[in-house]
């Protein structure tokens, strides 16, 4: 995890021989938010930061303040750079003893009764939540400790919705493929260790949840939005499409689609594309093009694919959040299912 700048750590200042009087004075004046004892962020910076940035500060503060803290589930995935569906509500940690499990009280605090403090405190930050897992074997995740790739995928798959678990499972599968530990055509459930751990779980409902998510997990998925879409397809009863299908015409290679449903029973094939904002705003995903050029290039690409006689559907986060909207778009593009 690349920690965003802004976290103020008084133990580090004291270790270097510095003084913390000014920090405590600023906190008492309402200029600093205290994430937990010894860890602060400027109030104005906390208020304007994205949720994932606040979460990253909170994770770092907890891991640095609590000796032996082991991160797990989506928090561990976040630290490893694995996509997650949304910012977690808690910093999730491993408890080896059932007496240690459960949620801890929020530690976020700010002084002053002004509007700023009310805005800061309305969500109470990200408390710690401990999950019992006496079998967990911690590994080093940069400066932190947490569950490893496979254990993290399993923990999320056993405990979460398909939408949440498939995002993590796809991300883990892609990382394993990039390190040549998983074949491109394989799912996580094809791995002997994963399959054995799923079979060994004592609860049938958790086994079924995990089997579904891990059997769908694919290294070919390139974003959380694509994983989220695949979970929506399952909910809608849509056949899972081919991923990253190549298209060409007389002028040569056109591109790869996120999703491809080949034509059946005389019906035309349908191409599906998840359009996340990052596709047009992230330089790496634009291959050096400007945002305007990226939009134009996508339009040219779509026109060439449509000219082959295929249906074409685009959707974004709001459509997946409302599967009925996604269903209408797929039907409008020519996709049919019983």
């Amino acid at each position: 995890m690349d920690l965003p700048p802004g976290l103020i750590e008084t133990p580090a200042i004291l270790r270097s021989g510095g003084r913390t009087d000014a920090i405590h004075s600023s906190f008492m004046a309402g200029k600093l938010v205290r994430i937990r004892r010894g860890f602060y962020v400027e109030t104005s910076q906390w208020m304007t930061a994205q949720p994932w940035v606040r979460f990253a500060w909170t994770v770092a503060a907890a891991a640095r303040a609590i000796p032996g803290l082991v991160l797990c589930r989506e928090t561990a995935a976040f630290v490893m750079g694995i996509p997650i569906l949304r910012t977690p509500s808690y910093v999730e940690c491993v408890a080896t003893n059932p007496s240690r499990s459960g949620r801890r009280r929020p530690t976020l605090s700010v002084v002053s009764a002004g509007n700023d403090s009310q805005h800061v405190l309305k969500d109470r930050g990200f408390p710690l939540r401990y999950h019992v897992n006496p079998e967990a074997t911690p590994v080093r995740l940069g400066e932190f400790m947490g569950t490893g790739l496979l254990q993290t995928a399993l923990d999320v798959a056993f405990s979460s919705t398909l939408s949440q678990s498939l995002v993590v499972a796809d991300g883990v599968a892609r990382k394993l493929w990039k390190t040549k530990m998983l074949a491109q055509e394989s799912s996580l459930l094809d791995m002997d260790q994963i399959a054995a751990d799923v079979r060994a779980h004592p609860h049938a409902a958790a086994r079924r949840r995990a089997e579904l998510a891990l059997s769908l997990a694919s290294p070919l998925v390139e974003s959380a939005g694509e994983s989220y879409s695949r979970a929506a397809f399952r909910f809608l009863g849509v056949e899972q499409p081919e991923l990253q299908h190549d298209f060409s015409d007389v002028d040569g290679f056109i591109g790869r689609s996120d999703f491809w449903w080949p034509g059946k029973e005389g019906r035309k094939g349908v191409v599906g594309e998840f359009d996340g904002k990052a596709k047009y705003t992230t330089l790496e995903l634009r291959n050096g093009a400007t945002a305007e050029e990226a939009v134009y290039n996508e339009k040219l690409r779509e026109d060439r694919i449509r000219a082959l006689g295929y249906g074409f559907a685009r959707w974004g986060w709001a459509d997946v959040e409302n599967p009925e909207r996604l269903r209408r778009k797929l039907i409008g593009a020519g996709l049919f299912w019983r």
Side-chain angles (χ1 to χ4, degrees):
M1 178 181 77
D2 293 326
L3 182 64
L7 185 63
I8 301 168
E9 183 180 352
T10 58
I13 295 173
L14 293 171
R15 285 195 299 270
S16 66
R19 297 176 60 86
T20 60
D21 309 57
I23 292 174
H24 294 299
S25 297
S26 295
F27 171 66
M28 295 305 298
K31 296 179 182 178
L32 294 178
V33 171
R34 185 170 66 197
I35 298 174
R36 63 185 313 113
R37 187 175 182 84
F39 295 86
Y40 303 83
V41 172
E42 290 183 7
T43 303
S44 59
Q45 194 171 0
W46 179 273
M47 290 176 58
T48 58
Q50 293 291 326
W52 72 267
V53 174
R54 298 177 186 174
F55 185 69
W57 286 329
T58 307
V59 170
R64 292 173 180 175
I66 303 173
L69 190 72
V70 178
L71 306 173
C72 66
R73 301 195 181 188
E74 287 184 298
T75 302
F78 177 85
V79 168
M80 287 187 281
I82 300 297
I84 56 177
L85 184 57
R86 52 181 62 90
T87 304
S89 300
Y90 304 93
V91 176
E92 299 155 303
C93 319
V94 171
T96 56
N97 189 317
S99 65
R100 288 275 298 160
S101 67
R103 183 175 60 180
R104 300 296 184 266
R105 296 181 62 183
T107 59
L108 184 75
S109 61
V110 63
V111 176
S112 164
N115 291 334
D116 287 357
S117 65
Q118 297 305 310
H119 178 83
V120 168
L121 293 174
K122 69 178 181 180
D123 61 6
R124 301 300 295 175
F126 306 92
L128 270 62
R129 189 168 194 167
Y130 284 87
H131 302 278
V132 178
N133 191 349
E135 306 300 323
T137 302
V139 300
R140 181 153 295 283
L141 310 176
E143 71 165 286
F144 312 118
M145 295 298 292
T147 52
L149 271 177
L150 299 188
Q151 186 64 59
T152 298
L154 281 163
D155 290 344
V156 175
F158 283 135
S159 61
S160 302
T161 65
L162 179 61
S163 297
Q164 292 172 289
S165 57
L166 189 53
V167 171
V168 172
D170 280 340
V172 169
R174 188 163 183 82
K175 179 158 287 200
L176 291 171
W177 168 62
K178 286 184 175 180
T179 56
K180 303 186 185 304
M181 295 176 63
L182 185 70
Q184 190 178 70
E185 65 278 4
S186 298
S187 74
L188 288 184
L189 201 59
D190 293 326
M191 300 183 71
D192 293 341
Q193 180 182 340
I194 289 280
D197 287 344
V198 171
R199 288 194 300 269
H201 198 282
H203 301 297
R207 287 199 303 271
R208 288 193 295 269
R209 282 195 299 269
E211 285 171 354
L212 176 57
L214 299 171
S215 65
L216 289 175
S218 170
L220 295 174
V221 178
E222 296 181 342
S223 72
E226 292 175 31
S227 299
Y228 194 17
S229 299
R230 299 175 71 222
F233 300 154
R234 175 76 184 189
F235 173 79
L236 291 169
V238 181
E239 180 183 357
Q240 288 294 321
E242 294 181 19
L243 305 172
Q244 305 302 323
H245 185 79
D246 289 350
F247 289 91
S248 299
D249 59 14
V250 294
D251 293 321
F253 180 67
I254 300 174
R256 294 182 177 87
S257 64
D258 294 339
F259 307 110
W260 164 242
W261 290 273
K264 292 183 178 180
E265 301 175 1
R267 295 178 178 271
K268 63 183 179 182
V270 174
V271 175
E273 289 285 312
F274 177 83
D275 260 359
K277 183 179 179 182
K279 181 182 288 188
Y280 304 106
T281 60
T282 305
L283 183 61
E284 292 82 0
L285 298 180
R286 300 198 312 257
N287 294 319
T290 65
E292 293 79 7
E293 289 170 338
V295 172
Y296 181 67
N297 291 337
E298 278 293 303
K299 180 63 170 64
L300 293 179
R301 176 172 164 271
E302 178 179 334
D303 288 345
R304 289 176 67 185
I305 291 176
R306 286 183 182 276
L308 296 173
Y310 303 135
F312 201 106
R314 287 188 183 275
W315 60 86
W317 285 102
D319 301 304
V320 188
E321 292 280 1
N322 184 345
E324 177 58 26
R325 286 172 51 175
L326 177 58
R327 186 183 72 86
R328 290 197 297 268
K329 288 197 171 190
L330 294 174
I331 290 174
L335 192 64
F336 172 81
W337 64 93
R338 294 184 176 85

